[in-house]
Amino acid sequence: MIRTLYIDINNELKTCESPYEMTSEPRLLWVDMSEPTMHENLLLSQFFHFHPLSIEDAVSVRQRPKYKEYDDYLFYVFHAIDLKTMKPEEIDVFINDILVVTYHKEHSEEVDKVWNMMINKKDNSKASTSEIMFLTLDAIVDNYFPFVYELEDKVFSFKDRHSVDISTEVLIEETFDLREDLLLIRRTVLPMRDLVYRLLEGRIMPLSKKQKIFLHHINDHLIKQVEMIESSREMTADIRDNYISLNSFKMNNIMKILTIYSVIFMPLTLLAGIYGMNFDVMPELHWKYGCLGVWVVMLVITFGMIVYFRQKNWF
C-alpha cells in the first residue's frame, strides 16, 4: 500500500495515493510504502531513482540499524518492535531536504502515529522532512518501553518464586528464556543508540538547536532502556547462579547424608559378611551368647560413629 502526503508552496497539505497523482509542485513530499507489492517497489527506482544498493537493502535483505550517505539523499535503517510477536521490524527511510520515503514490509503503528500528527498539524509552514524522520524515530524508541518494562517485571517476579512449589529445572529454563528475550531487545536497542549518538554528534547531517534538543530526548530514552536491559541481564545471571548454587548445595547435603549412612554400615556389613561364611570351625560360632555379642559390637560401633560425626558437626 502506498500513500502520499505533500505540502505545496502555499503550505497547503494534501494527500493522495500515489506521488503520480500530485496536482501541484510539492515543497515537502512524504511517501509511505507499507507492505508494498513487487509492482509498488518499482516506484523506488522509476520515480525516485534511488541508488540500487539502497533499494536492495530496503527490499531484499534485513539490515541492522544503520545509515548510508548517497549523492542526493541519506538512507536510514530503523528497527521497531512488534509487541505481539516481540520481533524486530525494519523501517527504512530515504530522506533529503524536500523528500522523505518510509518503507516497511509490515504495518507500522509508529509511522501511522506520525502520519496522523502531520495530517492534524495546524501550521505547515515549518514542517520539514527531518521533523518527520525524528518524529518517526521518537515513536519507535518510545514503543521499546512496554517491552523493556514487561521484561523487567518478569525479572522482579522471580523473587516470589521461592514461595511457589516449582522445580529448579523449570526456574532455570524460564530464566534462560527471559535472557533470550533480553538479548533480542538488546540487539535492537544498542545499534539504535549508536545510530542516534552519531546523529546527535552531527556526523551524519547538520542539526539545528531544536533538532539537537529533540535528539537528546530520544538519546536519553535509549540510554535508560539500555541500562534497564543490562540491569535485567545482570539480575537474571544472578538468579541463574543462585539457583544453580542452591541446587548444588542441596545435592551436596544429600550426598553427605548418604555417605555418612554408607560409612556407618560399612563395618556392620563387614561383620555380617564374616559371620555369614559357611565354615564349621569359627570363633564363637557355637557360643551360647555369640549372636548377642555380635549385636552388641555392631550397636557400639554404630552409636560410636554417630557420636563422632556429631562432634565433627558433619550432620
Side-chain angles (χ1 to χ4, degrees):
M1 182 186 74
I2 298 178
R3 54 183 176 177
T4 303
L5 179 154
Y6 65 100
I7 300 174
D8 61 17
I9 56 177
N10 297 320
N11 291 321
E12 182 180 352
L13 186 144
K14 300 178 181 178
T15 60
C16 57
E17 181 175 334
S18 170
Y20 289 109
E21 299 174 3
M22 292 187 298
T23 58
S24 58
E25 187 70 19
R27 179 185 67 81
L28 181 151
L29 170 62
W30 179 12
V31 178
D32 178 47
M33 304 179 66
S34 177
E35 302 175 281
T37 64
M38 293 297 295
H39 177 72
E40 291 173 338
N41 285 335
L42 297 176
L43 191 71
L44 298 174
S45 58
Q46 295 180 356
F47 184 86
F48 298 112
H49 306 290
F50 291 139
H51 195 283
L53 290 178
S54 63
I55 297 176
E56 180 183 0
D57 285 345
V59 175
S60 304
V61 184
R62 181 175 291 277
Q63 302 288 325
R64 286 172 59 85
K66 65 175 186 178
Y67 85 98
K68 284 186 179 179
E69 185 176 357
Y70 293 92
D71 291 337
D72 54 351
Y73 68 95
L74 292 171
F75 173 70
Y76 293 90
V77 177
F78 300 145
H79 275 190
I81 292 290
D82 186 346
L83 295 179
K84 295 180 180 179
T85 62
M86 294 187 178
K87 292 183 179 180
E89 295 180 345
E90 183 176 322
I91 299 178
D92 304 304
V93 180
F94 305 81
I95 183 172
N96 59 24
D97 292 337
I98 63 172
L99 168 68
V100 57
V101 177
T102 51
Y103 182 97
H104 41 101
K105 296 179 181 179
E106 299 89 4
H107 176 261
S108 173
E109 295 181 0
E110 295 86 354
V111 175
D112 284 348
K113 178 181 177 181
V114 179
W115 185 274
N116 293 329
M117 290 173 62
M118 295 300 297
I119 291 291
N120 298 322
K121 192 178 179 69
K122 296 181 179 180
D123 184 10
N124 298 316
S125 61
K126 297 181 180 180
S128 64
T129 57
S130 60
E131 178 188 11
I132 294 174
M133 188 191 75
F134 290 152
L135 287 173
T136 304
L137 179 59
D138 182 52
I140 290 172
V141 172
D142 285 345
N143 273 4
Y144 292 160
F145 274 111
F147 191 25
V148 175
Y149 284 136
E150 180 182 356
L151 293 176
E152 188 180 54
D153 291 341
K154 288 182 179 179
V155 172
F156 285 118
S157 69
F158 272 91
K159 68 179 182 180
D160 301 323
R161 296 303 184 90
H162 291 288
S163 59
V164 180
D165 186 15
I166 187 170
S167 67
T168 303
E169 182 179 353
V170 173
L171 287 171
I172 294 297
E173 184 177 349
E174 290 181 0
T175 304
F176 276 105
D177 290 341
L178 185 55
R179 286 180 63 83
E180 184 178 351
D181 291 338
L182 287 168
L183 180 61
L184 178 66
I185 185 66
R186 185 174 183 268
R187 290 177 59 184
T188 299
V189 175
L190 281 180
M192 288 290 287
R193 185 191 64 176
D194 294 338
L195 178 60
V196 171
Y197 176 76
R198 282 185 286 175
L199 269 171
L200 190 59
E201 291 297 308
R203 302 175 185 176
I204 301 176
M205 58 187 297
L207 300 173
S208 65
K209 184 177 180 180
K210 183 178 179 180
Q211 290 172 337
K212 283 188 176 181
I213 293 174
F214 195 77
L215 272 180
H216 270 295
H217 168 76
I218 298 174
N219 190 53
D220 289 343
H221 283 184
L222 285 168
I223 291 174
K224 180 180 179 181
Q225 290 163 356
V226 170
E227 290 176 350
M228 292 173 63
I229 292 169
E230 294 300 333
S231 175
S232 297
R233 291 183 74 244
E234 291 177 3
M235 291 180 65
T236 53
D238 291 340
I239 291 170
R240 177 196 60 194
D241 295 341
N242 288 339
Y243 279 112
I244 291 176
S245 299
L246 179 61
N247 194 40
S248 299
F249 176 75
K250 292 179 179 179
M251 183 62 67
N252 288 337
N253 278 338
I254 293 172
M255 294 303 298
K256 182 177 68 175
I257 293 172
L258 293 177
T259 302
I260 290 174
Y261 281 128
S262 299
V263 171
I264 290 174
F265 279 96
M266 282 175 61
L268 307 184
T269 304
L270 177 62
L271 289 174
I274 292 174
Y275 283 95
M277 294 186 294
N278 296 321
F279 293 115
D280 291 332
V281 181
M282 289 184 64
E284 298 88 23
L285 185 61
H286 300 288
W287 182 36
K288 181 179 179 180
Y289 302 103
C291 181
L292 180 60
V294 171
W295 272 104
V296 170
V297 171
M298 294 173 71
L299 290 174
V300 169
I301 292 174
T302 300
F303 284 107
M305 295 182 71
I306 290 175
V307 171
Y308 178 77
F309 292 152
R310 289 288 294 176
Q311 290 177 348
K312 293 290 186 179
N313 292 322
W314 288 2
F315 67 91

